[in-house]
């Protein structure tokens, strides 16, 4: 076994440590915090050093703000202090030393004072900063909620297949330019070849709140039928089966989607948003909402939300879509409004009940990102 493989095994073992080794005062919590902050700080320093290659243009302007550099400096300081605390408290030192390594590496590259080496514009970029901000934002938002209000109290933070789902986060974030171009191309082509100036002006002049709900309804209507097609057409199901292969539900599970499904699903569902001329403000509000909401409905949160579930898709509603039970097959396709499933006969939500398990019967989809990527293309 190589040194790298041995190190990865030790790190994974400590992250997935037994409950007795993760108690407060054992140095595990400080070690995990140190590692997360150290990795985030290091990757952001790399982004600042090579902005044209590793940053999303819309985020790039943040790096020029003094407060951003102050925040990055605090991230590295916190990582250093938490690493020292973990080393003092914990018998196993791998978390603390790994965090210290990345803090030192980030500091060597210039830390919060680093300057760009590859300035200017690059036609191709990878969203490394989007990956960091994506994981940090959703993690800090949903991990505390899942710890405080879990549906499955015994489910660990570093549960089965957490590395695969984190890698899905990485790939979709790094390839954000490719995914965005491929997803928006059909809608933009349709918008270019249609001259609905009056209609678009009228729609964009509506109150932003009204536009927001109109976008929700139209995209959900499109998404409902595309989603249903992914379940009922066998060759499409092989792509969607990757998403359903998750055996546990939490804030990371929603990231598990095949590259092809992301492009097809987004490419069709965004058509009304761009073809009808909704204002940029309403689009931004909707994109942020669906970003948070799609993570929420996959989360390990035990709220029944019965009153809200009559109108808006909730975790319990969507968990049944992922359920192993026979009754959970091909139900609850809506992503915003469960009323669509009521109208089209695919609604299933037994009172105060949750699925007993998740995934696909007999679990035919293999583990590992690349095996799952190739799964739809292999002869069944």
């Amino acid at each position: 076994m190589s040194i790298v493989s041995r190190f990865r095994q030790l790190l994974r073992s400590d992250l997935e440590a037994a409950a007795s080794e993760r108690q407060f005062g054992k140095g595990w919590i400080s070690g995990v915090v140190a590692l997360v902050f150290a990795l985030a700080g290091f990757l952001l320093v790399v982004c600042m050093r090579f902005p044209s290659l590793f940053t999303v243009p819309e985020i790039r302007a943040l790096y020029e703000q003094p407060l951003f550099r102050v925040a990055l400096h605090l991230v590295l300081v916190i990582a250093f202090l938490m690493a020292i605390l973990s080393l003092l408290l914990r018998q196993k030192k791998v978390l603390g030393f790994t965090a210290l390594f990345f803090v030192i590496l980030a500091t060597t590259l210039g830390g919060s004072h680093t300057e760009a080496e590859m300035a200017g514009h690059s036609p191709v970029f990878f969203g490394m900063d989007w990956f960091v901000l994506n994981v940090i934002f959703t993690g800090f938002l949903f991990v505390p909620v899942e710890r405080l209000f879990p549906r499955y109290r015994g489910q660990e933070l570093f549960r089965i297949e957490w590395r695969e789902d984190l890698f899905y986060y990485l790939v979709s974030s790094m390839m954000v330019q490719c995914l965005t171009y491929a997803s928006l191309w059909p809608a933009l082509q349709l918008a270019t070849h249609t001259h609905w100036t009056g209609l678009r002006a009228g729609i964009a002049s509506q109150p932003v709140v009204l536009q927001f709900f109109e976008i929700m309804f139209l995209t959900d209507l499109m998404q409902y039928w595309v989603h249903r097609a992914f379940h009922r057409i066998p060759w499409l199901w092989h792509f969607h089966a990757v998403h359903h292969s998750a055996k546990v539900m939490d804030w990371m599970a929603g990231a598990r989607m095949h590259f092809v499904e992301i492009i097809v699903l987004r490419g069709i569902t965004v058509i009304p948003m761009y073809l009808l001329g909704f204002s940029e403000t309403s689009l931004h509000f909707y994109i942020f909402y669906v970003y948070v909401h799609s993570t929420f409905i996959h989360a390990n949160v035990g709220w029944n939300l019965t009153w809200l579930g009559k109108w808006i898709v909730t975790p319990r509603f969507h968990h049944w879509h992922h359920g192993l039970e026979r009754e959970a097959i091909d139900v609850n396709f809506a992503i915003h409004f469960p009323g669509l499933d009521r109208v089209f006969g695919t609604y299933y939500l037994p009172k105060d009940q949750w699925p007993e398990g998740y995934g696909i019967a007999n679990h035919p989809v293999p583990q590992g990102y690349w095996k799952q990527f190739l799964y739809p293309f292999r002869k069944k």
Side-chain angles (χ1 to χ4, degrees):
M1 182 180 294
S2 66
I3 295 176
V4 175
S5 298
R6 176 61 177 163
F7 165 75
R8 288 173 54 192
Q9 189 179 64
L10 288 172
L11 182 60
R12 180 184 176 186
S13 176
D14 211 13
L15 288 171
E16 300 174 357
S20 59
E21 298 181 34
R22 292 183 280 108
Q23 295 176 356
F24 185 79
K26 294 283 186 132
W28 186 85
I29 296 175
S30 56
V32 171
V33 172
L35 184 60
V36 170
F37 274 65
L39 284 171
F42 167 71
L43 293 177
L44 288 175
V45 168
V46 172
C47 290
M48 293 176 66
R49 198 152 180 108
F50 307 102
S52 61
L53 186 60
F54 291 121
T55 65
V56 177
E58 291 77 6
I59 303 177
R60 206 168 289 166
L62 285 175
Y63 303 132
E64 303 303 323
Q65 303 297 322
L67 283 178
F68 179 84
R69 292 183 178 269
V70 172
L72 177 56
H73 186 74
L74 287 175
V75 166
L76 292 173
V77 170
I78 292 172
F80 177 80
L81 294 176
M82 290 293 102
I84 297 298
L85 181 60
S86 179
L87 289 172
L88 292 173
L89 294 176
R90 193 157 183 77
Q91 185 177 4
K92 296 179 180 178
K93 310 296 183 183
V94 64
L95 290 176
F97 278 127
T98 305
L100 277 181
F101 171 78
F102 282 105
V103 170
I104 293 171
L105 195 56
T107 305
T108 304
L109 291 174
S112 59
H113 300 289
T114 192
E115 297 296 335
E117 285 192 4
M118 293 178 60
H121 174 74
S122 172
V124 177
F125 61 85
F126 300 95
M128 184 183 291
D129 56 349
W130 175 238
F131 167 69
V132 175
L133 297 176
N134 194 8
V135 173
I136 292 295
F137 176 76
T138 53
F140 274 74
L141 184 63
F142 288 103
V143 168
V145 176
E146 289 187 342
R147 297 299 98 189
L148 292 172
F149 309 102
R151 168 57 194 167
Y152 302 101
R153 191 165 296 276
Q155 186 169 302
E156 309 293 352
L157 175 61
F158 297 100
R159 41 68 172 178
I160 183 175
E161 297 183 352
W162 67 270
R163 295 179 303 158
E164 285 89 340
D165 291 334
L166 186 60
F167 194 73
Y168 273 97
Y169 260 107
L170 176 63
V171 172
S172 61
S173 299
M174 293 291 282
M175 302 301 292
V176 64
Q177 183 185 30
C178 173
L179 287 171
T180 302
Y181 177 82
S183 300
L184 294 183
W185 187 84
L188 296 179
Q189 289 299 308
L190 287 171
T192 301
H193 291 87
T194 52
H195 305 284
W196 301 346
T197 307
L199 174 64
R200 289 168 181 158
I203 290 176
S205 66
Q206 299 177 106
V208 171
V209 174
L210 179 59
Q211 291 185 64
F212 173 78
F213 283 106
E214 288 173 347
I215 294 171
M216 282 184 68
F217 174 75
L218 291 173
T219 54
D220 202 18
L221 184 61
M222 296 286 285
Q223 188 275 156
Y224 175 91
W225 288 107
V226 176
H227 191 180
R228 191 165 176 174
F230 267 100
H231 275 255
R232 301 311 299 268
I233 300 174
W235 68 273
L236 285 177
W237 166 250
H238 294 150
F239 292 100
H240 191 54
V242 172
H243 180 64
H244 276 268
S245 68
K247 301 179 184 67
V248 294
M249 295 288 279
D250 68 358
W251 65 281
M252 287 194 293
R256 184 184 297 206
M257 290 184 67
H258 196 281
F259 216 74
V260 172
E261 183 185 1
I262 294 175
I263 293 172
V264 173
L265 187 63
R266 292 181 184 174
I268 296 176
T269 56
V270 302
I271 287 175
M273 296 166 54
Y274 290 90
L275 187 61
L276 297 178
F278 290 99
S279 67
E280 284 194 14
T281 302
S282 61
L283 290 178
H284 291 161
F285 274 123
Y286 172 74
I287 291 170
F288 179 75
Y289 169 80
V290 74
Y291 166 68
V292 175
H293 183 250
S294 62
T295 306
F296 173 61
I297 61 177
H298 288 90
N300 177 30
V301 178
W303 297 329
N304 280 340
L305 300 175
T306 305
W307 59 275
L308 183 64
K310 295 177 181 179
W311 312 100
I312 300 294
V313 167
T314 61
R316 190 164 71 92
F317 176 90
H318 194 67
H319 277 224
W320 273 108
H321 177 72
H322 283 264
L324 269 175
E325 287 82 348
R326 181 179 296 275
E327 297 82 6
I329 297 175
D330 293 347
V331 298
N332 298 0
F333 294 111
I335 203 69
H336 295 319
F337 300 114
L340 289 176
D341 284 284
R342 290 182 183 273
V343 170
F344 298 120
T346 52
Y347 182 88
Y348 183 75
L349 192 64
K351 185 178 180 181
D352 297 332
Q353 294 182 35
W354 292 72
E356 293 296 327
Y358 302 101
I360 306 170
N362 301 319
H363 302 295
V365 181
Q367 291 186 354
Y369 178 85
W370 295 112
K371 290 181 180 179
Q372 291 175 358
F373 182 84
L374 295 173
Y375 172 76
F377 305 105
R378 289 179 172 166
K379 188 175 181 180
K380 306 299 181 292

